Amino acid sequence: MSPPLKYKTPQEQRYKKMIAIVKEVLSDDYWKLSIDKLLIEEDLRERTTKIKCLVQLNEKTFAIEETGKGPIHALFNGLKNNFKKSYLSFKGLSFRDFSIEGDIDHSSRDMSSEVECILSIDSDSNHHPLIYRHKDTSINRAAIAVVLNAVEYYINSERAMKLLRNWAQDARKRNRGDLYEDSTLKMSLLLEGASYSESLLLGADTYED
């Protein structure tokens, strides 16, 4: 199980450093992933869940329809299947764990409560999963947001890795050891989250429909 809300794991501290690098490298070109509406259909006899939604990434919109063991499992697999051809680091990722914990605000007169959803994702390239959290008064909104946060990170981290690779190559050609070391250090930190070996062999950085 994931740790209680008040505790932060070493994996979460690691993720905090990694997302800071990604946002620094991409700057204003950091892409946002969002969903306006999500339809959930439960098959109680078969114990499966089907989800349907429209997803926006940067300026592109596409539909997802996927079945899984639950809405979060289905949403993660649907996003992964849509992006794995364009972002090869998704091939080594797997859904590991998902949990929900309540956080009641005792200082509030209406005793309003929030839930925090915690999602763990494994990568073939490391032994420690990355952990993502999101808090909301709605379980569904918190669950959807935590999946979107995770998938958004992997898309942008792969884009950042390609930029860093190009910067490192350029710095080496210009004999700029300081810039080369800075780029390779950031790349090594991002490699702790997923494998980018296949994607770095290709020069493409465009999303395929």
Side-chain angles (χ1 to χ4, degrees):
M1 291 295 295
S2 299
L5 304 186
K6 61 183 179 180
Y7 297 112
K8 299 299 180 183
T9 66
Q11 288 82 9
E12 288 177 278
Q13 297 299 328
R14 190 160 51 99
Y15 167 72
K16 186 177 180 180
K17 294 179 181 178
M18 292 158 65
I19 189 63
I21 291 172
V22 170
K23 290 186 174 181
E24 177 190 349
V25 170
L26 296 178
S27 188
D28 293 337
D29 198 32
Y30 183 90
W31 289 358
K32 298 295 292 183
L33 186 67
S34 63
I35 293 175
D36 288 335
K37 294 182 180 180
L38 179 76
L39 299 179
I40 302 174
E41 179 182 321
E42 297 279 5
D43 188 324
L44 301 183
R45 183 184 298 274
E46 297 296 328
R47 299 178 63 85
T48 59
T49 306
K50 178 186 290 185
I51 61 100
K52 297 180 181 179
C53 60
L54 286 178
V55 179
Q56 294 83 41
L57 174 65
N58 200 26
E59 297 180 354
K60 294 183 179 292
T61 301
F62 57 94
I64 282 183
E65 183 173 337
E66 187 74 31
T67 300
K69 298 176 182 179
I72 303 310
H73 183 254
L75 178 59
F76 176 76
N77 284 342
L79 291 168
K80 176 182 173 180
N81 290 336
N82 268 269
F83 290 126
K84 65 183 181 182
K85 290 184 179 179
S86 299
Y87 300 96
L88 301 181
S89 57
F90 276 95
K91 290 184 177 180
L93 300 181
S94 60
F95 186 98
R96 174 169 175 166
D97 187 33
F98 176 77
S99 62
I100 300 171
E101 301 194 25
D103 186 12
I104 299 175
D105 182 5
H106 294 284
S107 64
S108 175
R109 290 184 178 181
D110 62 1
M111 291 296 288
S112 62
S113 63
E114 289 189 329
V115 296
E116 188 165 50
C117 293
I118 304 104
L119 173 68
S120 299
I121 296 179
D122 268 336
S123 170
D124 291 343
S125 64
N126 62 70
H127 302 291
H128 303 288
L130 286 184
I131 296 175
Y132 306 85
R133 297 180 187 239
H134 191 82
K135 181 184 288 187
D136 201 298
T137 54
S138 162
I139 292 176
N140 286 337
R141 285 199 303 267
I144 293 167
V146 79
V147 174
L148 291 177
N149 289 344
V151 174
E152 181 180 284
Y153 167 76
Y154 285 108
I155 290 171
N156 283 293
S157 64
E158 184 164 329
R159 298 177 63 236
M161 281 290 289
K162 291 177 180 178
L163 275 177
L164 288 168
R165 184 269 315 273
N166 293 339
W167 293 350
Q169 291 176 343
D170 180 68
R172 186 165 51 186
K173 291 178 182 177
R174 295 190 291 123
N175 292 319
R176 287 295 306 271
D178 56 333
L179 298 179
Y180 178 80
E181 290 181 5
D182 180 66
S183 295
T184 54
L185 175 60
K186 290 174 180 176
M187 290 176 70
S188 67
L189 292 173
L190 294 185
L191 281 170
E192 295 181 14
S195 173
Y196 303 93
S197 56
E198 288 189 60
S199 60
L200 291 180
L201 292 175
L202 303 176
D205 186 25
T206 56
Y207 171 64
E208 298 176 3
D209 292 315

